[in-house]
Amino acid sequence: GDSVTQMEGPVTLSEEAFLTINCTYTATGYPSLFWYVQYPGEGLQLLLKATKADDKGSNKGFEATYRKETTSFHLEKGSVQVSDSAVYFCALGGRGGSNYKLTFGKGTLLTVNP
Amino acid sequence: DAGVTQSPTHLIKTRGQQVTLRCSPKSGHDTVSWYQQALGQGPQFIFQYYEEEERQRGNFPDRFSGHQFPNYSSELNVNALLLGDSALYLCASSGNGNYNSPLHFGNGTRLTVT
């Protein structure tokens, strides 16, 4: 069945450091890929998505590229801020951006220190 | 404009009991999905309701059931509670019945089974 494996945390960085959170997936067909973020005390929010191979999703300085050849969707940000401290989830959905039945990774806790 | 609201926020039940969790979708949304998030894990899809019908179901036993009302609000019922049912239960709503309409998550109900 479908599955998502993401980098174990926690990850601790200093402000302005470069961030990478690795995510790989196993799926049949043409899945869509998502990154969700959960800030302390808040619900999950969609950060970015990509619906087909080679698409790049971006939002708030975060980027991720859908790589079908390596079945990966790594999250990157060039310069993190304290306000980026949160739990990040990689998720797999259906074709064409379908998100009615998402498969999530375990989440990666990011802490950014000033 | 209220987002997705869930009640109660916390709940403690005894093994073998039954529990009902409630969700009000974001205004204008007609589709409700439920997820279970165990401690240290990513959310797992339970089921989705649209037009008062269960449209899709994840790998959960029949002890988990749901309902959607004409005003689009939803309930999740769990019978014969097990210790392993202790988790954060998340509700997500989306609009127009489209499979790729963005999901909006509530803050969840924390269920503890003793």
Side-chain angles (χ1 to χ4, degrees):
Chain A
D2 294 350
S3 66
V4 173
T5 303
Q6 66 179 99
M7 193 167 93
E8 295 279 333
V11 174
T12 303
L13 297 174
S14 298
E15 207 164 24
E16 299 184 5
F18 184 85
L19 169 71
T20 299
I21 300 177
N22 290 338
C23 171
T24 57
Y25 67 89
T26 301
T28 56
Y30 305 92
S32 298
L33 295 166
F34 304 82
W35 277 101
Y36 278 82
V37 59
Q38 188 170 36
Y39 298 105
E42 299 184 18
L44 281 165
Q45 302 174 26
L46 177 64
L47 181 59
L48 54 83
K49 70 177 182 181
T51 60
K52 60 183 186 298
D54 300 324
D55 267 3
K56 177 186 283 188
S58 61
N59 187 24
K60 300 181 180 180
F62 290 89
E63 293 183 340
T65 301
Y66 186 158
R67 300 286 190 201
K68 193 168 177 64
E69 63 275 15
T70 55
T71 61
S72 65
F73 192 55
H74 305 321
L75 182 68
E76 296 182 336
K77 186 175 186 181
S79 176
V80 294
Q81 305 300 311
V82 172
S83 58
D84 293 327
S85 297
V87 182
Y88 292 82
F89 292 92
C90 184
L92 184 85
R95 187 173 189 159
S98 171
N99 59 14
Y100 81 93
K101 185 180 177 182
L102 293 173
T103 299
F104 285 86
K106 291 184 177 182
T108 302
L109 173 62
L110 170 66
T111 301
V112 180
N113 295 318
Chain B
D1 179 24
V4 179
T5 57
Q6 294 186 242
S7 63
T9 54
H10 294 84
L11 201 52
I12 300 175
K13 289 287 189 178
T14 302
R15 190 170 47 184
Q17 286 187 317
Q18 178 265 343
V19 68
T20 297
L21 311 181
R22 295 177 176 83
C23 172
S24 293
K26 181 178 168 65
S27 178
H29 284 185
D30 57 8
T31 304
V32 173
S33 304
W34 286 93
Y35 285 81
Q36 180 197 65
Q37 186 178 7
L39 197 61
Q41 303 294 316
Q44 279 195 288
F45 177 77
I46 303 175
F47 41 53
Q48 184 183 76
Y49 277 84
Y50 172 65
E51 292 188 340
E52 303 180 49
E53 297 281 335
E54 184 182 290
R55 180 157 71 172
Q56 188 65 234
R57 188 180 183 91
N59 189 24
F60 278 80
D62 292 345
R63 298 187 297 109
F64 289 77
S65 63
H67 189 76
Q68 186 178 33
F69 298 93
N71 66 353
Y72 307 121
S73 67
S74 177
E75 289 182 348
L76 165 65
N77 300 293
V78 186
N79 293 323
L81 284 166
L82 304 174
L83 296 179
D85 295 331
S86 295
L88 180 68
Y89 288 84
L90 299 171
C91 172
S93 71
S94 53
N96 302 321
N98 289 336
Y99 286 118
N100 58 5
S101 182
L103 289 179
H104 291 252
F105 283 85
N107 287 356
T109 294
R110 173 74 63 187
L111 172 64
T112 302
V113 182
T114 62

